[in-house]
Amino acid sequence: MPLINPHFLFLIQNFSYLGIVAYFWFLGHFIPVPEEVIFLFLGYLSAEHTLFFWPTLVAIIGGIFLADNFLYFFSQSPIFARLRTRIDHDLVNRYTSAMSKHLFKTIVGLRLVPGLRFLGALIAGSSKVSWWRFFAYDFIIVSAYSTLFFAIGFHSHLALARLIGGVRRFRLAVFILFLLSVAGVAIYRWYRRPPRVSSTLPLLDD
């Protein structure tokens, strides 16, 4: 009889993937770290065989997709109707108008703007955009976007192995320092942005 229950061992081995889903579903909205940095780091860990490639990628996409769908339906609740008064009216009106003309392009544009990614799902839901359309577009965008950065992180491990070689921990330390630098610059630029965000964001006109 094994010392550790096989079912318990299975839970331990898969806790990392559940944690990834939880991060992108919930915690990622409160921790000011760009998504791209997390994608790169998880891709690197997959190349190190610390995590498995496909389960990790599925967990990333699943977590983001769950978050977007939760926000989509939350935007149709009475609670959001009261909270909406705290969001920049010009910003909301601007992207509501853009979404009515260019749904796919607007969702893509908001996905590429750190700090405003949640608006795509909220505006789509509050604007009564068909859930199936939102589902299809969001799935395509999230899958392509996260897979791209995850793959870059994965192949960064191979590039570092060729350039540096040596101890795996040293390569990992170099990569983490690089990611911290990228995250620091991104966070600094975000908090140093002009106060009127809506006037600096690209609008998708005809």
Side-chain angles (χ1 to χ4, degrees):
M1 183 177 181
L3 295 175
I4 301 178
N5 187 293
H7 298 291
F8 182 65
L9 182 60
F10 175 81
L11 291 176
I12 293 175
Q13 291 172 336
N14 288 275
F15 179 76
S16 297
Y17 305 113
L18 295 176
I20 292 170
V21 172
Y23 175 84
F24 285 105
W25 183 13
F26 181 72
L27 295 178
H29 295 289
F30 301 97
I31 301 175
V33 177
E35 283 183 347
E36 295 84 355
V37 172
I38 306 300
F39 295 154
L40 293 170
F41 182 64
L42 293 175
Y44 187 94
L45 291 182
S46 296
E48 285 274 351
H49 303 294
T50 304
L51 298 169
F52 291 108
F53 184 95
W54 289 112
T56 304
L57 184 57
V58 169
I60 291 172
I61 296 173
I64 298 174
F65 195 59
L66 283 173
D68 287 351
N69 278 268
F70 170 79
L71 292 172
Y72 175 90
F73 289 109
F74 175 72
S75 68
Q76 301 176 12
S77 69
I79 298 175
F80 177 73
R82 292 193 291 269
L83 294 176
R84 183 169 179 168
T85 58
R86 301 185 180 184
I87 303 177
D88 188 327
H89 290 286
D90 292 338
L91 184 68
V92 173
N93 292 336
R94 196 177 191 191
Y95 280 95
T96 298
S97 175
M99 190 166 288
S100 66
K101 301 174 184 177
H102 309 287
L103 177 60
F104 184 78
K105 291 181 180 179
T106 306
I107 294 177
V108 171
L110 288 171
R111 172 59 58 183
L112 298 177
V113 181
L116 292 178
R117 289 165 181 164
F118 67 97
L119 273 182
L122 290 176
I123 293 176
S126 60
S127 302
K128 308 299 182 183
V129 171
S130 166
W131 179 76
W132 283 108
R133 290 184 67 198
F134 173 75
F135 175 96
Y137 291 163
D138 192 56
F139 183 77
I140 293 171
I141 296 164
V142 169
S143 298
Y145 176 75
S146 55
T147 300
L148 172 63
F149 283 93
F150 183 77
I152 291 173
F154 185 88
H155 289 288
S156 295
H157 170 270
L158 303 177
L160 276 177
R162 287 194 297 266
L163 290 173
I164 300 177
V167 183
R168 291 174 57 187
R169 291 183 180 179
F170 177 69
R171 292 200 303 268
L172 179 59
V174 170
F175 190 69
I176 290 175
L177 286 175
F178 167 74
L179 292 181
L180 290 175
S181 300
V182 172
V185 170
I187 294 171
Y188 174 78
R189 293 189 63 180
W190 171 250
Y191 283 107
R192 294 283 295 179
R193 73 192 187 282
R196 291 291 294 174
V197 178
S198 59
S199 64
T200 63
L201 293 174
L203 179 62
L204 298 167
D205 296 320
D206 288 323

